[in-house]
């Protein structure tokens, strides 16, 4: 065959670049191994027949431990229960995981480039100190004097307030755009987006729901929060709220991890996020202004089983507490209902991300489409796909188009040529 010309080389290079951009920007399709195990176990426990659950142990230590704890929590210890679980530690394939020496060499040479990929994310060996959430998360000011640390705490509190203001301003910036501007801007950007990508954005947004939302109250592990956000996205929930009360994060390690929390929230490009400084502020706006019922996950004796909750009382906000302390006493008193997840194993509680996945699976199982007289279809339960209003749908679509362009400045430049200038508060991830 003839050798490729320079023009053909350039064309092939452009095709490869376009394919990489498409792969990089595609929406999440893969869930964690422990979440997959959880979904299978929910199907098994909902069936009256006996079952034997087996799975190949993942190479990731955190996924392995979380999966084993989840299986032990679901499976009955009695012989007459008819449900057993087993894990087979057979590795069928070679993994691309780098060795300890390779990782250390990268860190020493400065060639390591940590990143947060919304579609394909793997936990690090030490999730609490994952440098992808904060470059200096390991630098906990261990050698700081008391005066220096006190100054650091004050600066962090100021940064928390600034972050909350930025999140809320960005959310309001999209909502305050005029409907006609949103439609016009989307029409300008559409020719520059791959057809498959456009179809994917539209199909995902049509499955979004605002009938339920999640609120995380003072979480401590950014890796957990990141995993929760990806799971919430996979179930079609659009709105997520976060309470970060700076005064509750005591100690150098806790404050450093809280810094990583801001990165985790800021990188969740497909969700609508709001940040609150106190629990009272969050409950007041979510319940009193937006009309949501507050269902909080809590281990107190008066909590209901998640299967006994009434999911048709109206819009619902599900609250998940801190990994160690759970929800605050203030949230416990303000909540309309508190609930627990059924467990029969020796583990005291689920991991935060697994608990979120289990709750969402129960919510999904409680959501149904029914046909009534006249052929009309109604949806019951907390997850009601397609209930976004037209303006909110169009705003999210515009956000998706802007984030799907290869460079951040491309979208604003294209719109400015047509006389459309977006507000400064709109950020492109």
């Amino acid at each position: 065959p003839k050798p490729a010309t320079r023009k053909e080389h350039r064309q092939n290079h452009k095709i490869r670049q376009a394919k990489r951009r498409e792969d990089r920007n595609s929406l999440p399709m893969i869930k964690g191994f422990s979440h997959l195990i959880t979904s299978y176990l929910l199907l098994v426990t909902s069936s009256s027949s006996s079952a034997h659950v087996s799975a190949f142990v993942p190479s990731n230590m955190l996924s392995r431990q979380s999966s084993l704890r989840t299986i032990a929590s679901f499976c009955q210890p009695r012989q007459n229960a008819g449900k057993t679980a087993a894990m087979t530690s057979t590795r069928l394939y070679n993994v691309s995981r780098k060795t300890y020496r390779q990782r250390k060499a990268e860190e020493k040479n400065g060639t390591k480039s940590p990143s947060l990929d919304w579609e394909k994310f793997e936990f690090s060996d030490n999730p609490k100190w994952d440098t992808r959430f904060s470059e200096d998360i390991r630098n906990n000011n261990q050698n700081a004097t008391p005066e220096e640390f006190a100054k650091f705490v004050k600066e962090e509190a100021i940064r928390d307030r600034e972050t909350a203001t930025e999140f809320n301003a960005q959310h309001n910036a999209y909502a305050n755009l005029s409907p006609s501007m949103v439609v016009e801007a989307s029409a300008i950007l559409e020719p520059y987006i791959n057809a498959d990508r456009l179809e994917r954005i539209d199909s995902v947004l049509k499955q979004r729901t605002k009938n339920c939302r999640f609120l995380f109250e003072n979480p401590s592990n950014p890796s957990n929060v990141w995993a929760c956000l990806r799971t919430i996205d996979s179930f079609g929930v659009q709105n997520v709220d976060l309470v970060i009360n700076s005064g509750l994060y005591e100690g150098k390690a806790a404050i450093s991890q809280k810094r990583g929390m801001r990165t985790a929230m800021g990188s969740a490009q497909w969700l609508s996020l709001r940040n609150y400084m106190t629990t009272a502020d969050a409950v007041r706006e979510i319940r009193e202004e937006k009309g949501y019922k507050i269902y909080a996950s809590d281990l107190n004796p008066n909590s209901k089983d998640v299967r006994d909750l009434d999911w048709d009382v109206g819009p619902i906000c599900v609250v998940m507490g801190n990994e160690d302390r759970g929800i605050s006493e203030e949230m416990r008193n303000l909540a309309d209902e508190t609930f627990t997840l059924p467990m029969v194993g020796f583990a005291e509680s689920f991991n935060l991300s697994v608990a979120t996945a289990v709750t969402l699976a129960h919510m999904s199982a409680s959501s149904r489409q029914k046909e009534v007289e006249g052929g009309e279809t109604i949806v019951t339960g907390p997850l009601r796909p397609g209930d976004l209003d037209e303006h909110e749908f169009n705003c999210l679509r515009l956000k998706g188009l802007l984030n799907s362009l290869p460079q951040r400045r491309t979208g604003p430049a294209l719109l400015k040529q047509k006389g459309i200038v977006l507000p400064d508060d709109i950020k492109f991830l």
Side-chain angles (χ1 to χ4, degrees), residues 165-214:
T165 303
E166 290 174 4
F167 272 125
N168 299 338
Q170 181 181 356
H171 178 81
N172 295 331
Y174 276 105
N176 293 335
L177 294 175
S178 66
S180 58
M181 175 189 287
V182 173
V183 174
E184 184 180 358
S186 298
I188 294 172
L189 297 177
E190 282 178 6
Y192 300 91
I193 308 296
N194 182 279
D196 293 336
R197 179 66 171 170
L198 280 174
E199 183 180 356
R200 178 64 177 158
I201 292 174
D202 290 338
S203 64
V204 168
L205 291 180
K206 287 177 182 177
Q207 299 297 315
R208 291 299 203 202
T209 179
K210 64 176 182 180
N211 189 62
C212 66
R213 63 197 302 141
F214 271 73

Side-chain angles (χ1 to χ4, degrees), residues 106-120:
E106 286 182 346
E107 293 177 359
K108 182 178 180 180
N109 298 330
T111 58
K112 187 176 181 180
S113 56
S115 63
L116 291 175
D117 193 322
W118 185 252
E119 180 187 3
K120 299 176 182 178

Side-chain angles (χ1 to χ4, degrees), residues 92-353:
L92 294 182
Y93 49 85
N94 293 324
V95 296
S96 58
R97 187 192 188 99
K98 296 180 180 179
T99 65
Y100 175 82
R101 288 185 177 181
Q102 289 174 326
R103 295 195 299 272
K104 284 298 181 182
E106 286 182 346
E107 293 177 359
K108 182 178 180 180
N109 298 330
T111 58
K112 187 176 181 180
S113 56
S115 63
L116 291 175
D117 193 322
W118 185 252
E119 180 187 3
K120 299 176 182 178
F121 176 79
E122 292 187 4
F123 284 98
S124 69
D125 292 338
N126 195 351
K128 285 189 176 181
W129 308 113
D130 194 336
T131 55
R132 287 174 292 185
F133 295 102
S134 179
E135 288 293 340
D136 57 348
I137 196 169
R138 290 181 181 272
N139 180 16
N140 300 327
N141 293 272
Q142 297 289 351
N143 300 323
T145 64
E147 294 77 13
E148 292 173 339
F149 183 69
K151 180 181 178 182
F152 172 68
V153 171
K154 291 181 180 179
E155 292 175 349
E156 277 297 301
I158 294 173
R159 183 56 185 149
D160 287 337
R161 289 192 291 271
E162 292 175 347
T163 301
T165 303
E166 290 174 4
F167 272 125
N168 299 338
Q170 181 181 356
H171 178 81
N172 295 331
Y174 276 105
N176 293 335
L177 294 175
S178 66
S180 58
M181 175 189 287
V182 173
V183 174
E184 184 180 358
S186 298
I188 294 172
L189 297 177
E190 282 178 6
Y192 300 91
I193 308 296
N194 182 279
D196 293 336
R197 179 66 171 170
L198 280 174
E199 183 180 356
R200 178 64 177 158
I201 292 174
D202 290 338
S203 64
V204 168
L205 291 180
K206 287 177 182 177
Q207 299 297 315
R208 291 299 203 202
T209 179
K210 64 176 182 180
N211 189 62
C212 66
R213 63 197 302 141
F214 271 73
L215 169 64
F216 293 93
E217 186 187 28
N218 299 306
S220 60
N221 190 326
S223 292
N224 276 340
V225 173
W226 179 256
C228 290
L229 293 177
R230 295 177 70 247
T231 302
I232 289 170
D233 172 83
S234 299
F235 277 87
V237 178
Q238 181 60 39
N239 298 296
V240 179
D241 305 285
L242 180 71
V243 173
I244 293 291
N245 189 335
S246 302
L248 296 180
Y249 291 83
E250 299 178 352
K252 301 173 182 179
I255 294 177
S256 294
Q257 289 173 7
K258 177 172 61 66
R259 301 179 73 179
M261 210 77 62
R262 296 197 292 258
T263 303
M265 295 292 288
S267 300
Q269 57 183 318
W270 299 108
L271 299 175
S272 299
L273 306 171
R274 292 191 72 88
N275 201 338
Y276 300 91
M277 298 303 299
T278 65
T279 297
D281 291 341
V283 173
R284 180 172 56 252
E285 180 170 335
I286 294 172
R287 180 167 60 191
E288 298 178 7
E289 297 182 15
K290 298 181 179 179
Y292 283 80
K293 294 288 186 180
I294 306 296
Y295 285 5
S297 174
D298 189 28
L299 294 176
N300 78 75
N302 298 322
S303 295
K304 290 184 177 179
D305 190 306
V306 68
R307 295 167 292 189
D308 298 330
L309 292 174
D310 183 3
W311 294 107
D312 291 314
V313 295
I316 293 171
C317 176
V318 178
V319 181
M320 309 300 289
N322 179 273
E323 292 89 333
D324 298 323
R325 303 184 301 269
I327 63 172
S328 64
E329 188 65 29
E330 182 180 16
M331 177 61 75
R332 189 174 291 111
N333 296 329
L334 291 173
D336 297 294
E337 293 280 3
T338 58
F339 68 91
T340 59
L341 300 174
M343 299 182 66
V344 295
F346 287 102
E348 294 180 357
S349 63
F350 289 114
N351 172 275
L352 178 62
S353 61

Side-chain angles (χ1 to χ4, degrees), residues 392-410:
E392 184 176 5
F393 178 92
N394 289 336
C395 287
L396 292 173
R397 189 172 186 270
L398 174 60
K399 181 180 179 181
L401 296 178
L402 289 168
N403 287 328
S404 297
L405 293 168
Q407 295 183 1
R408 292 178 59 181
R409 62 178 181 270
T410 303

Side-chain angles (χ1 to χ4, degrees), residues 210 386-394:
K210 64 176 182 180
D387 64 354
L388 300 180
D389 60 63
E390 183 180 2
H391 181 58
E392 184 176 5
F393 178 92
N394 289 336

